[in-house]
Amino acid sequence: LGEFCDAKSPEFKFKQLYRDFNNKWQSVHGWFLLRDGNTDDIESNLNSFHIPLSDEDDEFKRSLLLLSKLLNDRLDNNNIKKHISRQLNDEEKKFGSIKLLNIYLEENNIDTEFTEVLENIQLLRSKGVAHAEQSGYREALKTILGEKTRIQLITNMLLTINNFLRC
């Protein structure tokens, strides 16, 4: 939209941190957390992402969808599984990437608030963003929002994401 972005804003910090994250993670942990993707798509999604300017549901859903594409969809399930040091039980072997990442973070004494945010993004996406809005979307949104606005929720999510992306 040609608007200037405050260098201290969570949105601007997210875009900065995101671009360097995978290499920083690899230098600290020895492996890449995010799968490679189409660089143009990733850059387009990153540039398109913004904190909603209004509390409208469409703008909120668009922000959630982009966060999901940039984070949830790129988690490298196989790499995460490979780097969990303990033996996974039969149920855990079926876990998706977010729950597996949570196990890895717990094993390595890393705060798991990031995976909570990813779970909320995934829940809202599955209930109302990526699919025809299911009946559980409104209830899930109400539970996750609490007393916050959609704008506040996205901003809070970004603050948590940014803390994690700092490695």
Side-chain angles (χ1 to χ4, degrees):
L1 297 177
E3 296 176 22
F4 289 100
C5 193
D6 178 1
K8 294 178 185 170
S9 78
E11 176 184 328
F12 183 76
K13 288 307 278 180
F14 169 68
K15 291 176 181 186
Q16 282 184 316
L17 291 165
Y18 184 86
R19 286 185 174 98
D20 298 329
F21 170 72
N22 219 22
N23 288 327
K24 283 178 73 175
W25 177 274
Q26 197 273 337
S27 69
V28 171
H29 298 273
W31 54 281
F32 293 107
L33 179 59
L34 302 178
R35 287 181 289 107
D36 285 336
N38 179 315
T39 306
D40 291 339
D41 286 348
I42 293 167
E43 200 58 34
S44 174
N45 288 336
L46 195 57
N47 289 332
S48 297
F49 174 78
H50 65 272
I51 294 173
L53 300 173
S54 72
D55 211 40
E56 297 300 315
D57 207 40
D58 287 345
E59 220 180 331
F60 173 71
K61 286 179 178 179
R62 175 86 175 129
S63 295
L64 282 176
L65 182 61
L66 289 169
L67 284 175
S68 183
K69 286 180 176 184
L70 290 164
L71 297 167
N72 298 38
D73 295 356
R74 290 195 57 221
L75 289 174
D76 191 332
N77 197 44
N78 292 330
N79 234 351
I80 297 167
K81 220 181 253 188
K82 240 190 311 190
H83 290 89
I84 294 174
S85 58
R86 68 174 173 80
Q87 187 71 33
L88 295 174
N89 65 39
D90 288 340
E91 182 183 341
E92 291 169 333
K93 288 177 184 175
K94 298 174 191 169
F95 281 178
S97 54
I98 297 170
K99 287 186 179 185
L100 289 172
L101 177 58
N102 198 69
I103 292 170
Y104 177 83
L105 296 177
E106 285 176 347
E107 270 188 357
N108 290 278
N109 298 313
I110 301 170
D111 184 28
T112 59
E113 195 176 358
F114 175 69
T115 54
E116 292 170 30
V117 168
L118 294 181
E119 285 173 348
N120 286 339
I121 290 169
Q122 189 65 34
L123 176 64
L124 292 171
R125 180 183 183 190
S126 68
K127 295 284 185 188
V129 177
H131 311 290
E133 195 166 299
Q134 298 176 1
S135 62
Y137 173 73
R138 294 279 165 220
E139 291 81 14
L141 180 61
K142 186 177 177 184
T143 300
I144 293 168
L145 274 178
E147 298 297 315
K148 295 181 284 301
T149 65
R150 289 171 180 84
I151 295 169
Q152 290 168 328
L153 178 61
I154 294 289
T155 301
N156 290 350
M157 286 177 162
L158 277 183
L159 292 171
T160 299
I161 292 166
N162 289 349
N163 283 337
F164 182 79
L165 294 181
R166 284 185 182 94
C167 290

